[in-house]
Amino acid sequence: MPVNRQDSIIYEISDRRNDLGAFISDLNRISTMIGFNNVGFDYPVLHTVLTHNGPLTGDVWMRKVEAIFNDERFDHIVSYREVIKPQIDLYLIHHFDNAARRTGLKALQFAMRLPKIETLPIKPGTYLTHQQIDELRGYLHNDLLSTLAFYEHTKPAIDMRAELGPRHTNSNDTKIGKSIVIDKLEQTRRGCCYYSDRSPRQTPRPNGIVLSDIILPCVNFKTPKFQSLLEEFKSWTLHDTKGAFVYSINGGAKQSRDSLFVDHDGFKFEYGTGGIHGSVVKQRVTETLLDIDVTSYYPSIAIVNDLYPEHLGRNFCEVYAQIKEERLKHPKGSTQNAAYKLALNGVYGDSNNKYSPFYDPQYTMAITINGQLLLTMLAESLLIYIPDLQMIQINTDGMTVKYDPQHTDVVMSICKSWCDYTRLDLEYNTYKSMFIRDVNNYIAVDINGKIKRKGAYEYKLQWHQNHSQLVVQKAAEAHFIRGVDISEFIQNHDDPYDFMIMTKINKNIRLITDTGAELQSLIRYYISTNGVQIIKEMQPLVKKPDTIRLTNLTKNRRATICNNMPDKITDIDYDFYIREARKLVNYG
């Protein structure tokens, strides 16, 4: 729903006007407030204002603002049960409070392709002049439009949470999934997840995890290389479940290695604490390929093998299985189906989270190690019994293989035998082509023309990812799939936003141009034949305290700043984008 300046109201409390009464009056007519990081900042300030007894001066909310900035971020959050006006926080729903996903409203202005990107024009804490107040009102209006635009993108997620109840209004997907499992566990055995002081019950493993105790009896191999891998795993006591393998053998000193490898005719199977990986590299495969995935792999391993965090007991498996059954009762696309899917997927990752009631790293590794070995068993059988079968990729919960189609019946028979033996299910897809840089970066096209993009070739991105220069990925895809010349594609591409690049800096860095102009902390620009060079100015190093560090952000090319998006751009440096696309095509 587009909103212009006339549709919006900005309340001002200053030495020239006082809109507090009008604000409170309007607030009384509102049922719910929507914002961005409002649960963490805006609402605690507003709650202080609404609950304050005595004269309401500027110092009241300024003290609160300063406290929020100076204290732990959780200290001032008001429980959803205590808020005077219910809050919908887009920041929390999208899990932007997670360090790996942290995204601000200005970056979203870029990702949403809004016409104006504007950072705070005045340093916080400044006593404003009337001119600065007017400038700030314009900035706030742009933020309002941006928040409303992001609300429209978020509305399906908001609607789903509304069906689940007020407790989940601002929960991210992972939190929803975990809470569903916790609720069901607590219903069957009260107190199994938390102690009376609400600290989580857990099973830490300070003495390590003896892998021979957790590797399933059904795991076995026919070839010496994979059997040797199994024996090596069985000899380990694992002491770290994140990152590299840290292990000891027979009580000896701890050792460390990034991963384990098995080489099969030049294809490397790589085993790690997070899962199995392997891929051909820098190849175009245009023959028919079979993609095989295990259905809901990690939850299913736990369910069929009675794996559970020790403190939760076998009851965990029963509840987990019930959730899987419940999901199947609801059609895909429904709120219930989505919620139960979140519940199934949320537990595994949280079992390695030391703040979680699911925490038992032995449970995590029982799933991860067995998951890799069981998948390897399927790969080994296919390699043994299918003549000239080639492994293209193997990754966490599935694999892609190439073989002569005359062997399809045998392939399906091997897969069925594996399913019967492991009690797991497989799903299949047929690709007609793949363009592979490595296991994390590729394009795959199935027989119906559906395209799967991964890593550097993806341009339908999540909100927390960088949406810069998407014309490059689109040009590479057009070349791979339709044979379009890269230069022709880029020079005829008519979406100016696909040429835009975003750069964001922190408070200890300045962005300046070669003309000396200072830029805002987040900018949108494109590489142009005219324009300016953009330079990043960084603080001196301790060893060289008198030397300001300068980096040419545009690599000696020129750029045109587009924080206010023009109707048309005409001086694009096409050579830059063509070079970047050719790197993708040549797997650089």
Side-chain angles (χ1 to χ4, degrees):
M1 162 173 82
V3 173
N4 57 42
R5 189 175 296 273
Q6 288 70 37
D7 295 323
S8 62
I9 301 172
I10 295 178
Y11 302 92
E12 179 182 327
I13 302 172
S14 68
D15 61 355
R16 67 181 186 180
R17 60 187 291 177
N18 187 349
D19 296 333
L20 182 60
F23 172 66
I24 298 297
S25 177
D26 289 344
L27 188 63
N28 288 332
R29 297 196 296 269
I30 294 172
S31 60
T32 303
M33 302 180 75
I34 302 167
F36 189 86
N37 197 26
N38 45 309
V39 166
F41 180 76
D42 302 83
Y43 185 75
V45 175
L46 177 60
H47 191 80
T48 298
V49 171
L50 296 177
T51 58
H52 180 72
N53 293 318
L56 193 59
T57 64
D59 288 343
V60 172
W61 54 75
M62 282 308 300
R63 283 196 299 269
K64 187 65 174 180
V65 168
E66 291 171 0
I68 292 172
F69 280 128
N70 294 329
D71 298 341
E72 289 292 328
R73 65 188 181 97
F74 296 110
D75 290 351
H76 300 274
I77 292 176
V78 182
S79 165
Y80 77 93
R81 297 182 183 89
E82 299 174 5
V83 297
I84 296 170
K85 290 293 177 182
Q87 303 289 303
I88 294 176
D89 191 336
L90 309 178
Y91 182 81
L92 293 179
I93 289 172
H94 288 274
H95 207 3
F96 292 154
D97 54 328
N98 177 275
R101 300 173 60 90
R102 192 151 292 146
T103 307
L105 191 59
K106 315 314 169 202
L108 291 172
Q109 290 171 354
F110 180 90
M112 290 188 289
R113 303 184 168 207
L114 299 184
K116 187 173 184 179
I117 296 176
E118 186 177 11
T119 62
L120 185 65
I122 300 160
K123 185 178 179 180
T126 301
Y127 285 90
L128 304 177
T129 66
H130 290 182
Q131 181 178 345
Q132 288 173 320
I133 291 173
D134 291 336
E135 185 179 357
L136 191 61
R137 289 174 70 95
Y139 164 80
L140 294 172
H141 180 261
N142 191 54
D143 264 14
L144 171 65
L145 298 184
S146 303
T147 303
L148 181 62
F150 196 52
Y151 162 75
E152 292 295 335
H153 286 292
T154 310
K155 200 164 185 314
I158 293 171
D159 292 342
M160 185 190 87
R161 284 155 174 78
E163 287 190 48
L164 295 175
R167 174 187 172 196
H168 296 296
T169 298
N170 294 308
S171 295
N172 60 64
D173 286 352
T174 302
K175 188 174 180 180
I176 290 173
K178 292 187 296 188
S179 67
I180 290 172
V181 180
I182 289 170
D183 288 349
K184 289 190 175 295
L185 286 168
E186 289 284 339
Q187 288 168 12
T188 59
R189 185 159 62 90
R190 189 164 184 81
C192 66
C193 294
Y194 292 98
Y195 294 103
S196 57
D197 64 355
R198 294 301 294 169
S199 59
R201 294 185 184 272
Q202 300 177 331
T203 308
R205 303 287 178 169
N207 298 321
I209 301 162
V210 179
L211 294 191
S212 60
D213 291 343
I214 64 172
I215 292 175
L216 296 170
C218 65
V219 173
N220 61 79
F221 294 102
K222 303 177 179 68
T223 54
K225 284 184 179 180
F226 290 122
Q227 185 61 33
S228 176
L229 166 79
L230 176 59
E231 294 305 320
E232 178 154 14
F233 268 135
K234 285 184 174 181
S235 72
W236 285 6
T237 297
L238 199 62
H239 298 282
D240 197 345
T241 57
K242 294 182 178 180
F245 285 124
V246 178
Y247 63 96
S248 59
I249 299 176
N250 298 326
K254 289 182 181 179
Q255 305 177 51
S256 177
R257 58 197 301 176
D258 290 337
S259 54
L260 280 177
F261 290 94
V262 172
D263 190 305
H264 187 283
D265 293 338
F267 184 92
K268 283 188 176 182
F269 293 81
E270 181 179 2
Y271 303 84
T273 55
I276 187 172
H277 296 87
S279 178
V280 299
V281 297
K282 298 183 178 181
Q283 286 194 27
R284 303 185 186 195
V285 185
T286 53
E287 297 93 334
T288 300
L289 304 167
L290 181 66
D291 189 65
I292 307 168
D293 284 320
V294 189
T295 306
S296 195
Y297 195 18
Y298 281 3
S300 295
I301 289 177
I303 292 168
V304 303
N305 293 290
D306 285 336
L307 302 177
Y308 49 86
E310 186 173 300
H311 55 283
L312 295 176
R314 295 179 62 87
N315 180 55
F316 170 85
C317 295
E318 296 171 7
V319 168
Y320 214 29
Q322 289 168 10
I323 290 172
K324 185 177 180 181
E325 292 171 7
E326 281 295 320
R327 185 191 173 202
L328 297 176
K329 294 177 183 177
H330 302 282
K332 287 186 177 182
S334 68
T335 295
Q336 294 87 349
N337 185 285
Y340 287 128
K341 180 180 180 180
L342 296 176
L344 290 170
N345 294 337
V347 172
Y348 162 75
D350 225 44
S351 66
N352 210 16
N353 174 4
K354 62 182 180 180
Y355 302 105
S356 168
F358 300 118
Y359 182 60
D360 180 353
Q362 180 164 299
Y363 168 80
T364 313
M365 287 299 102
I367 291 176
T368 303
I369 300 297
N370 285 301
Q372 296 177 80
L373 295 174
L374 291 172
L375 203 59
T376 303
M377 286 172 58
L378 176 58
E380 182 193 51
S381 292
L382 290 170
L383 288 165
I384 290 173
Y385 296 113
I386 305 301
D388 300 320
L389 180 135
Q390 182 183 354
M391 292 294 303
I392 302 300
Q393 286 191 337
I394 189 166
N395 188 14
T396 307
D397 61 353
M399 66 190 72
T400 306
V401 296
K402 182 176 75 171
Y403 58 89
D404 190 319
Q406 68 175 314
H407 302 303
T408 296
D409 288 346
V410 182
V411 168
M412 291 296 109
S413 176
I414 291 170
C415 289
K416 183 180 184 304
S417 295
W418 183 87
C419 290
D420 293 340
Y421 185 70
T422 62
R423 294 172 292 158
L424 300 168
D425 297 319
L426 293 174
E427 300 172 350
Y428 306 94
N429 194 13
T430 303
Y431 294 145
K432 60 183 180 182
S433 58
M434 286 187 77
F435 308 90
I436 307 164
R437 188 168 83 181
D438 54 49
V439 70
N440 295 314
N441 300 277
Y442 61 86
I443 297 174
V445 187
D446 73 13
I447 55 174
N448 297 312
K450 185 177 179 180
I451 300 171
K452 180 180 180 180
R453 309 172 186 88
K454 184 85 170 178
Y457 300 94
E458 178 62 85
Y459 57 81
K460 294 184 177 180
L461 301 168
Q462 298 184 55
W463 292 114
H464 68 280
Q465 296 174 301
N466 192 332
H467 293 233
S468 292
Q469 59 185 48
L470 297 183
V471 67
V472 171
Q473 291 94 307
K474 292 181 179 181
E477 178 178 292
H479 177 77
F480 279 141
I481 296 174
R482 303 194 302 277
V484 177
D485 179 76
I486 287 175
S487 299
E488 178 185 335
F489 181 92
I490 289 177
Q491 290 177 12
N492 290 308
H493 196 66
D494 60 359
D495 187 341
Y497 284 97
D498 281 343
F499 292 91
M500 295 298 153
I501 301 170
M502 182 189 78
T503 290
K504 181 180 182 297
I505 57 168
N506 62 38
K507 62 182 179 181
N508 297 319
I509 299 174
R510 286 202 316 153
L511 286 179
I512 58 176
T513 69
D514 56 351
T515 62
E518 185 168 359
L519 303 173
Q520 62 185 35
S521 59
L522 187 147
I523 59 172
R524 174 171 57 197
Y525 61 95
Y526 65 95
I527 304 300
S528 58
T529 54
N530 299 309
V532 296
Q533 291 186 19
I534 303 174
I535 299 164
K536 186 188 293 187
E537 181 184 279
M538 296 169 285
Q539 296 299 310
L541 296 171
V542 175
K543 294 181 179 179
K544 296 182 179 180
D546 300 323
T547 305
I548 296 290
R549 295 175 292 153
L550 302 175
T551 300
N552 192 314
L553 195 65
T554 47
K555 300 177 182 178
N556 296 317
R557 291 183 181 266
R558 303 215 157 261
T560 299
I561 311 296
C562 294
N563 295 329
N564 287 291
M565 194 69 182
D567 294 331
K568 189 176 182 181
I569 56 177
T570 57
D571 61 339
I572 300 170
D573 183 351
Y574 290 113
D575 178 66
F576 168 81
Y577 297 96
I578 291 168
R579 286 172 181 261
E580 294 299 304
R582 283 179 176 158
K583 289 179 186 177
L584 282 187
V585 167
N586 295 321
Y587 309 111

